Amino acid sequence: MKLKDKVALITGSSKGIGAGIAKEYAREGAKVVVNYSSSKDYADRVVNEITRNGGTAIAVQANISKIADIKRLFQEVKSAFGKLDILVNNASVWRYEMLEEVSEETFQLQVTTGLMAHIFCAQQAAAMFGEEGGSIINLSSTVSLNPIPGTLIYTAVKSGVDSLAKTLAKELGPRKIRVNTIAPGMTESEGSTADGRPGSAMEKLFLDRTPLGRIGLPLDIAKVAVFLASDDASWVTGERITVAGGLL
Ligand SMILES: NC(=O)c1ccc[n+]([C@@H]2O[C@H](COP(=O)([O-])OP(=O)(O)OC[C@H]3O[C@@H](n4cnc5c(N)ncnc54)[C@H](OP(=O)(O)O)[C@@H]3O)[C@@H](O)[C@H]2O)c1
């Protein structure tokens, strides 16, 4: 068990990639905090699956686009488990929109959830990690280096995610806090199903550019998230790992 007795918070882990990471962390021995914003049923389902398999998990509601909610989330982690070792900044929302469709509302939504929350969650985590340090993992996307039309704000957010991990790795390294980024390619999730991707022209475009010839699964991403959180990655910080079947 690579994460035995570690405490991990994964934002937005009621669904998709976050849920996959939560389950895999629990399988590797971590006590897991499953954060969600509104999908309590989904969060409870993830927690029940973990506990049924002998793991430890709790669900905590917090809308991470609000700083007050972020502070409460971390207080609840402390009350439940007394410490934190791993933060996965996973929650994010995206909107497909061309430049003329971008609005203040869609800008705020994507920037607060996808970038601002990463910063304020990292702030709380760094304050809570013990003397042995900790690991912060941020979810970016292949689009941050290889954008597609209609993802202007999302791409800018993910480029910001790439850069903040590099800065934080330097700032927090002396405190033994490692900060790394995972950039998934197209991955099956509730969010990507809800936006109509399965069978779409966009899915075909990504499949054609993916040498390993399939769409990613949450478990593909979770395995790398386990590595980055574990002692196997104790000399790895400030890195961005693409997990996308060869898609660049
Ligand atoms: N799927 C892909 O193809 C893909 C590709 C590259 C990168 N990524 C990145 O991977 C991460 C996960 O994506 P996904 O596809 O697994 O997403 P998803 O299926 O849409 O799930 C999103 C999760 O985030 C939570 N969430 C959304 N807004 C929140 C908020 N304000 N506060 C707290 N939780 C919130 C959702 O919970 P509620 O339902 O309760 O709101 C849900 O658990 C994201 O950062 C995404 O950008 C995904």
Side-chain angles (χ1 to χ4, degrees), residues 11-18 35-40 62-65 89-94 113 139-142 154 158 183-192 197:
T11 66
S13 44
S14 54
K15 294 177 183 168
I17 293 171
N35 159 247
Y36 68 100
S37 167
S38 57
S39 307
K40 182 175 188 312
N63 178 350
I64 53 144
S65 66
N89 276 319
N90 166 77
S92 180
V93 288
W94 59 85
T113 313
L139 268 291
S140 180
S141 165
T142 51
Y154 182 68
K158 292 305 192 185
M186 192 174 276
T187 307
E188 273 184 32
S189 72
E190 281 82 349
S192 60
R197 259 187 249 172

Side-chain angles (χ1 to χ4, degrees), residues 21-235:
I21 294 173
K23 289 184 225 172
E24 203 55 15
Y25 276 12
R27 217 175 59 78
E28 292 288 351
K31 295 172 183 145
V32 169
V33 179
V34 175
N35 159 247
Y36 68 100
S37 167
S38 57
S39 307
K40 182 175 188 312
D41 290 357
Y42 283 83
D44 288 343
R45 210 176 301 166
V46 174
V47 167
N48 289 341
E49 185 176 331
I50 290 172
T51 49
R52 248 198 338 269
N53 290 328
T56 303
I58 59 166
V60 179
Q61 190 283 331
N63 178 350
I64 53 144
S65 66
K66 296 181 177 167
I67 293 174
D69 274 30
I70 291 176
K71 289 183 177 163
R72 178 176 53 75
L73 170 62
F74 280 81
Q75 278 159 9
E76 293 196 30
V77 173
K78 194 162 197 173
S79 311
F81 297 120
K83 66 163 188 166
L84 182 70
D85 304 290
I86 302 157
L87 164 68
V88 183
N89 276 319
N90 166 77
S92 180
V93 288
W94 59 85
R95 294 287 178 269
Y96 296 118
E97 51 192 0
M98 300 302 276
L99 176 61
E100 60 274 17
E101 296 164 314
V102 172
S103 67
E104 186 176 347
E105 188 199 344
T106 59
F107 178 88
Q108 290 286 355
L109 178 70
Q110 294 175 88
V111 172
T112 53
T113 313
L115 186 58
M116 186 197 80
H118 284 223
I119 294 169
F120 287 94
C121 286
Q123 188 182 59
Q124 293 289 317
M128 203 188 288
F129 288 153
E131 282 189 357
E132 64 288 357
S135 173
I136 298 175
I137 297 160
N138 297 315
L139 268 291
S140 180
S141 165
T142 51
V143 299
S144 71
L145 296 183
N146 212 345
I148 53 173
T151 61
L152 177 68
I153 306 304
Y154 182 68
T155 296
V157 162
K158 292 305 192 185
S159 301
V161 168
D162 289 353
S163 98
L164 79 86
K166 287 192 177 299
T167 311
L168 280 182
K170 291 183 179 169
E171 214 172 287
L172 299 176
R175 293 167 55 194
K176 300 185 206 153
I177 299 171
R178 298 182 296 104
V179 189
N180 291 291
T181 304
I182 297 176
M186 192 174 276
T187 307
E188 273 184 32
S189 72
E190 281 82 349
S192 60
T193 301
D195 75 13
R197 259 187 249 172
S200 67
M202 184 190 284
E203 183 181 78
K204 184 170 179 333
L205 176 82
F206 273 79
L207 266 176
D208 289 347
R209 286 169 40 201
T210 304
L212 291 182
R214 66 172 173 83
I215 298 299
L217 299 171
L219 185 59
D220 296 318
I221 314 302
K223 285 177 179 166
V224 178
V226 167
F227 164 70
L228 286 175
S230 75
D231 287 345
D232 289 345
S234 59
W235 195 234

